[in-house]
Structure formats: C-alpha cells, structure tokens
C-alpha cells in the first residue's frame, strides 16, 4: 500500500565474568577478515525465553548475502531473554540484554561461543544496548525502571562492573505513562555524546560520556509533544540530522542535531503510512548513502519507505511494503546494506528484503525464516 505526506523541515543546527583481563586494557582494533561475497554470513536472533513458544537462547543462523536466504544453525543456550543484540566493533564479541525484572547484560565470545559472563544493569527490563565506537563501553537502556547504564569492556570483550547508572526522574511521565521507560541508548555519529530515548517521559536525553571513567553527565534534553512515546532514534550519515520513531502516537519526526552541544531539536510529527490501522512504530533505519529511510510498522505490519531530502533535513513518505509477518519489532541492514532483515515477534519469523539504494525499493528475498518469538535479527 502506498501513501504520500507533506514534507516537514526542521531548523539546521550479576555473576563476575570469566577470564577477565584488567578493565583498562585496550580492545583489539583489527576486525576479522570478511568472507567473500556470496558465502554464508552469520545471523544472530534474539527472543524471549520466558514467553510461551519462545526460544531457548540466542538463535544461530546464516544468510546468503546474494540471495538473502536464511538457514538455521541451532541455538546458543544459557542466555535468558536475549531480546536485543549488538556486536563489538572488532566483530569478536556479541552482547545481549537479559530483559528480566533483575536486568542484566551478557557477553559471548564468538570464536567459540563461550559466555564470558553476565552483569547486572541495576535496572528492570533492559531492552536495548549498543557499544560505544571506541569499543570500551557498553550502553544499555532499562525500560522497566527508566534508567541507562554503562559497563566497561576489557580487551577480551568481557564486561566489568557498571560504572554509572542514571534514572530519568524528570520530567513527569507523559499521558498514559506511569513512569520513565528508557527504550534506547546510542552514540552520536561524532562520538562526542550518547543519547537516551525515553518513551515514558517523552524525552531524548543527551549525555557526555567520560571515556576514561565511564560516567555520564547530562548536557541537554529534547521533548516530543506530550504522548508521542519516542522509541527509536537513528542518525543520518551526515551527522546533522536524525529521525525519531514515536511508538504511542504513530508518527515519525525529523530532528536537527548540534554536534558541539549535543542538543537535539525535534521537528513536527509525520505519518508512518499506517492509515487508520492500529500501529506502533518500532525501529527506523537510514541507508549508508543517506538517501532513504525505512520504518518498521507493528500492527500495520509493513515497512514504510521514505526519501531523505535536503541533505537529511526532510523525510518524504514514498509508501509501504508488507513485511510478510506479524508485528515487526526490529529491523537491521546487512553490513553491505544490500539486505534488510525484519524480526516479526508475533508470527515468529524473520523476513529478508533486497534493498535498492538507488531507488529505495524493497524486494522480498523469499519466504520468511521461522524463529521462535523473533524480536531481534543481527546480521554480521
């Protein structure tokens, strides 16, 4: 189904880990060599192990980078409720949240799939994590308690005791919310700031991360309109603009970003292409060339396609493509940007699409791959 929209412009702007070296040791910088194009690549799958019909750990799969075909390769057990995954910049260590009341984060060494340890996040229901570009800090967001956490990463990829924990105690929760709900914690493209998206307080918080101590200092706040429920932010590769998916009011927004101050300026609401359907936008991505953006629509069960214009300052809705599954919670590009994967939570499937970065078109790569309660797909 297709649709168009007016353009909006914004102004410019736990248990200790094993085999752990000292926390101040430098991570290995060199990434392992990539396999030649056309050979299978790893695909890691997140799930809820505590849900009915859920998985038993991190799903292991592979995908063909030419065709997008996914094949199963078993499960990595022993990681509870790994609902979101991220990889170290050197490609050697995988990190997973443990989305439980007593939240944790787990590190897994990929060469032998050995669990290096799990550490408490100090909060409830961690639902997102990311690795700082230096490779020395793990950032996680605790949805249930509305807080963000920093853990050190040592030279082996293992984690250490958290160095900071900040709870979003203000402003007051938005309409229909009982408290703060941190949903994402990521680093700006310039590396100078880290930003936390909080659905409960309708706020994006900007922090300065002390790269020596792993502590956070708040430097700015950006507020959405009341009840927007911001969930996920992604930056344009130019570094001056970002795009915000608002889960509760079913909108997206263009944001201007000032790298010097870390200040985000949130523009007006724009449609998601869902029409009259009950819909909860999940994750938004931008192609590496900065020309197109894609949004996962849960409920409408589609991927919205946007043209990115004016060097990142505008989004123009091109239409939607059926995702081929139910409730796409998360989407991710393959490293070369030629494939897009969607994890469909309610249908327990992962859909793959070929991405035309010249036209913004998405083409199905075949039948979805069955994966229990699929909530995250991480292609390497």
């Amino acid at each position: 189904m297709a649709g168009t929209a007016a353009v909006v412009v914004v102004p410019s702007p736990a248990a200790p880990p094993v085999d752990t070296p000292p926390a101040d040791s430098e991570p290995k910088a060199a990434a392992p060599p990539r396999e030649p194009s056309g050979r299978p690549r790893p695909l890691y799958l997140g799930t809820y192990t505590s849900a009915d019909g859920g998985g038993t750990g991190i799903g292991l799969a592979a995908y063909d980078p030419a065709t997008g075909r996914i094949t199963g390769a078993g499960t990595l057990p022993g990681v509870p409720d790994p609902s979101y995954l991220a990889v170290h910049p050197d490609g050697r260590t995988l990190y997973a949240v443990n989305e439980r009341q007593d939240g944790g984060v787990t590190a897994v060494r990929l060469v032998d799939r050995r669990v290096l340890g799990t550490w408490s996040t100090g909060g409830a229901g961690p639902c997102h994590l990311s690795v700082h570009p230096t490779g020395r800090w793990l950032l996680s967001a605790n949805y249930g308690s509305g807080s963000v956490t920093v853990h050190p990463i040592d030279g082996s990829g293992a984690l250490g005791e958290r160095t900071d924990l900040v709870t979003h105690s203000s402003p007051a929760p938005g309409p229909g919310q009982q408290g703060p709900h941190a949903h994402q914690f990521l680093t700006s493209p310039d590396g100078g700031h880290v930003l936390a998206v909080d659905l409960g307080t309708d706020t994006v918080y900007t922090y300065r991360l002390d790269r020596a101590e792993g502590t956070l200092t708040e430097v700015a706040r950006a507020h959405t309109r009341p009840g927007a429920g911001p969930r996920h932010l992604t930056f344009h590769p130019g570094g001056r603009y970002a795009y915000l998916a608002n889960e509760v009011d079913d909108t997206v927004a263009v944001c201007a970003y000032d790298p010097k101050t870390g200040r985000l300026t949130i523009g007006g609401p724009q449609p998601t292409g869902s029409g009259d359907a009950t819909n909860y936008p999940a994750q938004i991505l931008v192609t590496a060339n900065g020309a197109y953006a894609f949004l996962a629509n849960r409920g409408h069960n589609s991927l919205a396609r946007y043209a990115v214009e004016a060097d990142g300052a505008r989004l123009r809705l091109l239409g939607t493509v059926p995702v081929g599954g139910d409730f796409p919670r998360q989407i991710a590009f393959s490293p070369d940007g030629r494939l897009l994967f969607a994890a469909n939570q309610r249908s327990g499937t992962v859909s793959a699409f070929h991405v035309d970065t010249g036209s913004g078109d998405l083409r199905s790569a075949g039948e979805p791959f069955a994966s229990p309660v699929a909530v995250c797909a991480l292609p390497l």
Side-chain angles (χ1 to χ4, degrees), residues 25-357:
S25 60
E26 290 291 340
K28 299 175 183 177
R34 274 190 189 175
E35 296 172 352
S37 178
R39 294 183 58 189
R41 298 285 305 163
L43 178 66
Y44 296 94
L45 305 170
T47 186
Y48 285 114
T49 58
S50 60
D52 290 342
T56 56
I58 298 172
L60 305 175
Y63 69 95
D64 185 318
T67 67
R69 182 174 182 268
I70 302 171
T71 54
T75 303
L76 176 67
V79 184
D81 289 321
S83 65
Y84 204 90
L85 310 172
V87 70
H88 192 281
D90 68 12
R92 293 182 170 89
T93 310
L94 181 72
Y95 301 97
V97 298
N98 308 142
E99 193 175 340
R100 296 192 163 188
Q101 183 62 30
D102 51 344
V105 283
T106 296
V108 179
R109 189 168 60 200
L110 290 179
V111 66
D112 57 2
R113 295 174 181 162
R114 180 180 183 184
V115 174
L116 299 178
T118 295
W119 290 89
S120 170
T121 62
C127 64
H128 182 271
L129 80 176
S130 62
V131 184
H132 190 270
T134 60
R136 297 195 62 178
W137 306 103
L138 184 72
L139 313 172
S140 56
N142 296 303
Y143 181 84
S145 52
S147 57
V148 291
T149 307
V150 182
H151 285 87
I153 302 173
D154 66 28
S156 74
L159 300 170
E161 187 64 56
R162 64 179 181 269
T163 54
D164 210 350
L165 171 67
V166 177
T167 300
H168 299 151
S169 56
S170 67
Q177 303 298 319
Q178 302 304 310
H181 293 304
H183 219 306
Q184 185 191 27
F185 200 18
L186 76 162
T187 306
S188 61
D190 55 278
H193 299 93
V194 292
L195 294 90
V197 180
D198 196 297
L199 181 151
T201 61
D202 291 326
T203 302
V204 180
Y205 303 82
T206 301
Y207 298 95
R208 183 176 297 110
L209 173 67
D210 186 315
R211 298 189 191 184
E213 302 296 329
T215 53
L216 300 168
T217 302
E218 185 181 323
V219 296
R221 293 182 184 182
H223 304 288
T224 67
R225 64 178 184 169
R231 177 186 176 96
H232 188 270
L233 183 77
T234 192
F235 280 90
H236 186 271
R240 302 288 299 189
Y241 297 95
Y243 312 105
L244 186 63
N246 296 312
E247 173 180 338
V248 178
D249 73 357
D250 188 20
T251 64
V252 295
V254 179
C255 309
Y257 173 72
D258 182 353
K260 291 183 180 179
T261 64
R263 187 169 297 279
L264 201 69
T265 303
I266 301 174
Q270 294 186 244
T272 64
S274 63
D276 296 329
T278 299
N279 188 59
Y280 307 95
Q283 187 158 8
I284 188 167
L285 299 178
V286 182
T287 55
N289 63 4
Y292 297 96
F294 304 103
L295 173 73
N297 281 322
R298 297 174 300 164
H300 191 248
N301 290 339
S302 66
L303 299 173
R305 301 165 48 245
Y306 297 89
V308 180
E309 301 173 334
D311 295 325
R314 294 198 302 243
L315 285 181
R316 177 167 55 88
L317 180 64
L318 299 174
T320 62
V321 174
V323 75
D326 189 359
F327 224 61
R329 180 183 171 100
Q330 178 262 356
I331 54 178
F333 288 128
S334 59
D336 63 8
R338 296 179 181 178
L339 293 169
L340 182 149
F341 297 88
N344 305 306
Q345 181 174 357
R346 292 180 179 171
S347 57
T349 56
V350 178
S351 305
F353 294 84
H354 296 281
V355 181
D356 187 328
T357 56

